[in-house]
Amino acid sequence: MIGFRTLLVLFLVILLLYTGVVIANHGVDLLTIFFGDIAKVGWPGQFNLDFTFMLILSALWTAWRNRFSGTGIMLSFLALIGGSLFLSIYLLALSWKTKGDFKQMLLGDALGV
């Protein structure tokens, strides 16, 4: 579990630093570029479309894990827009809440755990 938590923290730190540099150099106009690349039907757009589907799956898993409760829906929205930033923080919090039990961490409330 220490290795997994370390990986999540590493993801979080790298993503925050990288995002800060991108914002400093290019501003915050992500959506125009993101969806513009999809509309061009090239490799950057293919990656963005694939990534969008992964975000949707992450959001669905988050909602399902929380039995589609109000909190689960709110968290799933954060998963959809927050990507790895949200997921690394969420999984870190779950790893502590579940005392490192991966099964409980991944299945959680969906199985009454």
Side-chain angles (χ1 to χ4, degrees), residues 5-44:
R5 287 177 179 157
T6 301
L7 182 65
L8 291 173
V9 169
L10 186 63
F11 285 170
L12 184 59
V13 169
I14 291 170
L15 186 59
L16 286 171
L17 291 172
Y18 193 91
T19 302
V21 171
V22 171
I23 289 171
N25 291 330
H26 302 284
V28 293
D29 189 22
L30 164 68
L31 295 180
T32 302
I33 295 166
F34 187 85
F35 291 113
D37 282 344
I38 292 173
K40 290 177 188 172
V41 191
W43 282 115

Short mmCIF file of all heavy atoms in Angstrom, two decimals, residues 5-44:
data_model
loop_
_atom_site.label_atom_id
_atom_site.label_comp_id
_atom_site.label_asym_id
_atom_site.label_seq_id
_atom_site.Cartn_x
_atom_site.Cartn_y
_atom_site.Cartn_z
N ARG A 5 0.34 4.34 -2.56
CA ARG A 5 0.13 5.71 -2.08
C ARG A 5 1.22 6.64 -2.59
O ARG A 5 0.94 7.78 -2.97
CB ARG A 5 0.09 5.73 -0.55
CG ARG A 5 -1.19 5.15 0.02
CD ARG A 5 -1.16 5.13 1.53
NE ARG A 5 -2.39 4.59 2.07
CZ ARG A 5 -2.49 4.05 3.28
NH1 ARG A 5 -1.43 3.99 4.07
NH2 ARG A 5 -3.64 3.58 3.70
N THR A 6 2.44 6.15 -2.61
CA THR A 6 3.56 6.95 -3.13
C THR A 6 3.33 7.28 -4.60
O THR A 6 3.55 8.42 -5.03
CB THR A 6 4.89 6.21 -2.94
OG1 THR A 6 5.08 5.94 -1.55
CG2 THR A 6 6.06 7.02 -3.48
N LEU A 7 2.88 6.31 -5.37
CA LEU A 7 2.59 6.53 -6.79
C LEU A 7 1.50 7.58 -6.96
O LEU A 7 1.61 8.47 -7.81
CB LEU A 7 2.16 5.21 -7.44
CG LEU A 7 1.88 5.25 -8.94
CD1 LEU A 7 3.14 5.57 -9.72
CD2 LEU A 7 1.29 3.92 -9.39
N LEU A 8 0.45 7.51 -6.16
CA LEU A 8 -0.64 8.49 -6.24
C LEU A 8 -0.15 9.89 -5.91
O LEU A 8 -0.51 10.86 -6.59
CB LEU A 8 -1.79 8.10 -5.32
CG LEU A 8 -2.59 6.85 -5.71
CD1 LEU A 8 -3.57 6.49 -4.62
CD2 LEU A 8 -3.29 7.05 -7.04
N VAL A 9 0.68 10.01 -4.88
CA VAL A 9 1.23 11.32 -4.51
C VAL A 9 2.14 11.84 -5.63
O VAL A 9 2.09 13.02 -5.99
CB VAL A 9 1.98 11.26 -3.16
CG1 VAL A 9 2.77 12.53 -2.91
CG2 VAL A 9 1.00 11.00 -2.03
N LEU A 10 2.93 10.95 -6.20
CA LEU A 10 3.80 11.33 -7.31
C LEU A 10 2.97 11.83 -8.50
O LEU A 10 3.28 12.87 -9.10
CB LEU A 10 4.67 10.14 -7.72
CG LEU A 10 5.74 10.39 -8.76
CD1 LEU A 10 6.78 11.38 -8.25
CD2 LEU A 10 6.42 9.07 -9.11
N PHE A 11 1.91 11.10 -8.85
CA PHE A 11 1.01 11.53 -9.92
C PHE A 11 0.46 12.93 -9.62
O PHE A 11 0.44 13.80 -10.49
CB PHE A 11 -0.17 10.58 -10.07
CG PHE A 11 0.13 9.27 -10.74
CD1 PHE A 11 -0.83 8.28 -10.74
CD2 PHE A 11 1.34 9.02 -11.37
CE1 PHE A 11 -0.59 7.06 -11.36
CE2 PHE A 11 1.59 7.81 -11.99
CZ PHE A 11 0.62 6.82 -11.98
N LEU A 12 0.00 13.12 -8.40
CA LEU A 12 -0.60 14.38 -7.99
C LEU A 12 0.38 15.53 -8.11
O LEU A 12 0.08 16.58 -8.70
CB LEU A 12 -1.13 14.26 -6.56
CG LEU A 12 -1.88 15.44 -5.99
CD1 LEU A 12 -3.10 15.78 -6.82
CD2 LEU A 12 -2.29 15.13 -4.55
N VAL A 13 1.58 15.36 -7.59
CA VAL A 13 2.60 16.42 -7.62
C VAL A 13 3.00 16.75 -9.05
O VAL A 13 3.04 17.92 -9.46
CB VAL A 13 3.82 16.03 -6.76
CG1 VAL A 13 4.98 16.98 -6.99
CG2 VAL A 13 3.44 15.98 -5.29
N ILE A 14 3.29 15.72 -9.86
CA ILE A 14 3.69 15.94 -11.24
C ILE A 14 2.58 16.64 -12.02
O ILE A 14 2.82 17.60 -12.77
CB ILE A 14 4.09 14.62 -11.92
CG1 ILE A 14 5.39 14.10 -11.32
CG2 ILE A 14 4.22 14.79 -13.43
CD1 ILE A 14 5.75 12.68 -11.75
N LEU A 15 1.35 16.18 -11.84
CA LEU A 15 0.23 16.78 -12.56
C LEU A 15 0.02 18.24 -12.17
O LEU A 15 -0.22 19.09 -13.03
CB LEU A 15 -1.05 15.97 -12.31
CG LEU A 15 -2.28 16.39 -13.09
CD1 LEU A 15 -2.02 16.31 -14.59
CD2 LEU A 15 -3.46 15.52 -12.71
N LEU A 16 0.11 18.54 -10.88
CA LEU A 16 -0.05 19.93 -10.44
C LEU A 16 1.05 20.82 -11.00
O LEU A 16 0.77 21.93 -11.47
CB LEU A 16 -0.07 20.00 -8.91
CG LEU A 16 -1.36 19.50 -8.25
CD1 LEU A 16 -1.18 19.42 -6.73
CD2 LEU A 16 -2.53 20.40 -8.60
N LEU A 17 2.29 20.35 -10.96
CA LEU A 17 3.41 21.14 -11.49
C LEU A 17 3.26 21.35 -13.00
O LEU A 17 3.41 22.46 -13.51
CB LEU A 17 4.74 20.47 -11.17
CG LEU A 17 5.16 20.46 -9.70
CD1 LEU A 17 6.40 19.60 -9.49
CD2 LEU A 17 5.39 21.89 -9.20
N TYR A 18 2.96 20.28 -13.71
CA TYR A 18 2.81 20.35 -15.16
C TYR A 18 1.66 21.29 -15.55
O TYR A 18 1.79 22.12 -16.44
CB TYR A 18 2.57 18.95 -15.72
CG TYR A 18 2.71 18.85 -17.22
CD1 TYR A 18 3.93 18.52 -17.80
CD2 TYR A 18 1.61 19.05 -18.06
CE1 TYR A 18 4.06 18.42 -19.18
CE2 TYR A 18 1.74 18.95 -19.44
CZ TYR A 18 2.96 18.63 -19.99
OH TYR A 18 3.08 18.53 -21.34
N THR A 19 0.54 21.15 -14.84
CA THR A 19 -0.62 22.01 -15.11
C THR A 19 -0.28 23.47 -14.86
O THR A 19 -0.68 24.35 -15.64
CB THR A 19 -1.82 21.57 -14.25
OG1 THR A 19 -2.11 20.20 -14.55
CG2 THR A 19 -3.04 22.43 -14.52
N GLY A 20 0.46 23.73 -13.79
CA GLY A 20 0.87 25.10 -13.50
C GLY A 20 1.70 25.70 -14.62
O GLY A 20 1.49 26.87 -15.02
N VAL A 21 2.63 24.94 -15.16
CA VAL A 21 3.47 25.41 -16.26
C VAL A 21 2.63 25.65 -17.52
O VAL A 21 2.78 26.67 -18.20
CB VAL A 21 4.62 24.41 -16.55
CG1 VAL A 21 5.36 24.77 -17.82
CG2 VAL A 21 5.58 24.35 -15.37
N VAL A 22 1.72 24.72 -17.83
CA VAL A 22 0.87 24.88 -19.01
C VAL A 22 -0.01 26.12 -18.89
O VAL A 22 -0.13 26.90 -19.84
CB VAL A 22 0.01 23.61 -19.25
CG1 VAL A 22 -1.03 23.84 -20.33
CG2 VAL A 22 0.89 22.44 -19.63
N ILE A 23 -0.61 26.32 -17.72
CA ILE A 23 -1.45 27.50 -17.52
C ILE A 23 -0.62 28.77 -17.65
O ILE A 23 -1.05 29.75 -18.29
CB ILE A 23 -2.16 27.44 -16.15
CG1 ILE A 23 -3.26 26.37 -16.19
CG2 ILE A 23 -2.77 28.80 -15.78
CD1 ILE A 23 -3.89 26.07 -14.85
N ALA A 24 0.59 28.77 -17.08
CA ALA A 24 1.45 29.95 -17.17
C ALA A 24 1.83 30.26 -18.62
O ALA A 24 1.92 31.43 -19.00
CB ALA A 24 2.71 29.73 -16.34
N ASN A 25 2.03 29.22 -19.42
CA ASN A 25 2.47 29.43 -20.81
C ASN A 25 1.32 29.58 -21.80
O ASN A 25 1.50 30.22 -22.85
CB ASN A 25 3.36 28.26 -21.26
CG ASN A 25 4.68 28.25 -20.55
OD1 ASN A 25 5.21 29.29 -20.16
ND2 ASN A 25 5.23 27.07 -20.35
N HIS A 26 0.16 28.99 -21.53
CA HIS A 26 -0.92 28.95 -22.53
C HIS A 26 -2.27 29.43 -22.02
O HIS A 26 -3.24 29.42 -22.79
CB HIS A 26 -1.08 27.52 -23.06
CG HIS A 26 0.17 26.98 -23.67
ND1 HIS A 26 0.62 27.35 -24.92
CD2 HIS A 26 1.10 26.11 -23.19
CE1 HIS A 26 1.75 26.73 -25.19
NE2 HIS A 26 2.06 25.96 -24.16
N GLY A 27 -2.39 29.77 -20.75
CA GLY A 27 -3.68 30.20 -20.21
C GLY A 27 -4.56 29.01 -19.84
O GLY A 27 -4.11 27.86 -19.84
N VAL A 28 -5.82 29.29 -19.56
CA VAL A 28 -6.73 28.26 -19.06
C VAL A 28 -7.78 27.82 -20.10
O VAL A 28 -8.76 27.17 -19.76
CB VAL A 28 -7.46 28.73 -17.77
CG1 VAL A 28 -6.48 28.87 -16.63
CG2 VAL A 28 -8.22 30.01 -18.01
N ASP A 29 -7.56 28.14 -21.36
CA ASP A 29 -8.54 27.82 -22.41
C ASP A 29 -8.40 26.37 -22.87
O ASP A 29 -8.14 26.08 -24.04
CB ASP A 29 -8.36 28.77 -23.59
CG ASP A 29 -9.47 28.63 -24.61
OD1 ASP A 29 -10.55 28.12 -24.26
OD2 ASP A 29 -9.24 29.00 -25.77
N LEU A 30 -8.61 25.44 -21.96
CA LEU A 30 -8.45 24.02 -22.27
C LEU A 30 -9.55 23.48 -23.18
O LEU A 30 -9.28 22.78 -24.15
CB LEU A 30 -8.43 23.19 -20.97
CG LEU A 30 -8.63 21.68 -21.12
CD1 LEU A 30 -7.44 21.07 -21.83
CD2 LEU A 30 -8.87 21.03 -19.79
N LEU A 31 -10.79 23.81 -22.89
CA LEU A 31 -11.91 23.17 -23.58
C LEU A 31 -11.93 23.46 -25.08
O LEU A 31 -12.22 22.57 -25.89
CB LEU A 31 -13.23 23.56 -22.93
CG LEU A 31 -13.41 23.07 -21.49
CD1 LEU A 31 -14.75 23.51 -20.94
CD2 LEU A 31 -13.26 21.56 -21.39
N THR A 32 -11.62 24.69 -25.47
CA THR A 32 -11.60 25.02 -26.89
C THR A 32 -10.56 24.17 -27.63
O THR A 32 -10.84 23.62 -28.70
CB THR A 32 -11.29 26.52 -27.09
OG1 THR A 32 -12.27 27.28 -26.40
CG2 THR A 32 -11.28 26.89 -28.55
N ILE A 33 -9.39 24.05 -27.05
CA ILE A 33 -8.32 23.25 -27.66
C ILE A 33 -8.69 21.77 -27.63
O ILE A 33 -8.55 21.05 -28.63
CB ILE A 33 -6.98 23.50 -26.93
CG1 ILE A 33 -6.56 24.95 -27.13
CG2 ILE A 33 -5.90 22.55 -27.42
CD1 ILE A 33 -5.45 25.41 -26.21
N PHE A 34 -9.18 21.30 -26.48
CA PHE A 34 -9.50 19.88 -26.29
C PHE A 34 -10.54 19.42 -27.31
O PHE A 34 -10.33 18.45 -28.05
CB PHE A 34 -10.01 19.68 -24.86
CG PHE A 34 -10.22 18.25 -24.48
CD1 PHE A 34 -9.17 17.50 -24.00
CD2 PHE A 34 -11.48 17.66 -24.58
CE1 PHE A 34 -9.36 16.17 -23.63
CE2 PHE A 34 -11.67 16.34 -24.21
CZ PHE A 34 -10.60 15.60 -23.73
N PHE A 35 -11.69 20.11 -27.37
CA PHE A 35 -12.75 19.70 -28.29
C PHE A 35 -12.43 20.07 -29.73
O PHE A 35 -12.88 19.42 -30.66
CB PHE A 35 -14.10 20.26 -27.83
CG PHE A 35 -14.58 19.61 -26.57
CD1 PHE A 35 -14.67 20.34 -25.39
CD2 PHE A 35 -14.93 18.28 -26.55
CE1 PHE A 35 -15.11 19.73 -24.22
CE2 PHE A 35 -15.38 17.66 -25.38
CZ PHE A 35 -15.46 18.40 -24.21
N GLY A 36 -11.63 21.12 -29.92
CA GLY A 36 -11.17 21.48 -31.26
C GLY A 36 -10.33 20.37 -31.88
O GLY A 36 -10.46 20.06 -33.07
N ASP A 37 -9.47 19.77 -31.06
CA ASP A 37 -8.66 18.65 -31.55
C ASP A 37 -9.53 17.45 -31.91
O ASP A 37 -9.27 16.75 -32.90
CB ASP A 37 -7.62 18.24 -30.51
CG ASP A 37 -6.41 19.16 -30.48
OD1 ASP A 37 -6.22 19.93 -31.43
OD2 ASP A 37 -5.65 19.11 -29.49
N ILE A 38 -10.56 17.19 -31.13
CA ILE A 38 -11.48 16.09 -31.46
C ILE A 38 -12.17 16.37 -32.79
O ILE A 38 -12.27 15.49 -33.65
CB ILE A 38 -12.51 15.87 -30.33
CG1 ILE A 38 -11.82 15.34 -29.07
CG2 ILE A 38 -13.62 14.91 -30.79
CD1 ILE A 38 -12.71 15.23 -27.85
N ALA A 39 -12.59 17.61 -33.00
CA ALA A 39 -13.29 17.98 -34.23
C ALA A 39 -12.39 17.85 -35.46
O ALA A 39 -12.89 17.60 -36.57
CB ALA A 39 -13.83 19.41 -34.12
N LYS A 40 -11.09 17.98 -35.30
CA LYS A 40 -10.15 17.88 -36.43
C LYS A 40 -9.93 16.43 -36.87
O LYS A 40 -9.36 16.19 -37.93
CB LYS A 40 -8.81 18.50 -36.05
CG LYS A 40 -8.85 20.00 -35.91
CD LYS A 40 -7.49 20.52 -35.45
CE LYS A 40 -7.57 21.99 -35.10
NZ LYS A 40 -6.31 22.45 -34.47
N VAL A 41 -10.35 15.46 -36.07
CA VAL A 41 -10.23 14.04 -36.37
C VAL A 41 -8.79 13.66 -36.72
O VAL A 41 -8.50 13.07 -37.76
CB VAL A 41 -11.22 13.57 -37.47
CG1 VAL A 41 -11.24 12.06 -37.55
CG2 VAL A 41 -12.61 14.12 -37.24
N GLY A 42 -7.88 14.02 -35.80
CA GLY A 42 -6.47 13.63 -35.92
C GLY A 42 -6.06 12.87 -34.67
O GLY A 42 -6.89 12.59 -33.79
N TRP A 43 -4.78 12.55 -34.58
CA TRP A 43 -4.31 11.79 -33.41
C TRP A 43 -4.51 12.52 -32.08
O TRP A 43 -4.91 11.89 -31.10
CB TRP A 43 -2.86 11.36 -33.59
CG TRP A 43 -2.74 10.19 -34.51
CD1 TRP A 43 -2.14 10.15 -35.73
CD2 TRP A 43 -3.28 8.87 -34.30
NE1 TRP A 43 -2.27 8.90 -36.28
CE2 TRP A 43 -2.96 8.09 -35.43
CE3 TRP A 43 -4.00 8.28 -33.27
CZ2 TRP A 43 -3.33 6.76 -35.55
CZ3 TRP A 43 -4.37 6.96 -33.39
CH2 TRP A 43 -4.04 6.21 -34.52
N PRO A 44 -4.25 13.84 -32.02
CA PRO A 44 -4.55 14.51 -30.73
C PRO A 44 -6.03 14.39 -30.35
O PRO A 44 -6.36 14.19 -29.19
CB PRO A 44 -4.15 15.97 -30.99
CG PRO A 44 -3.11 15.88 -32.05
CD PRO A 44 -3.57 14.75 -32.95
#
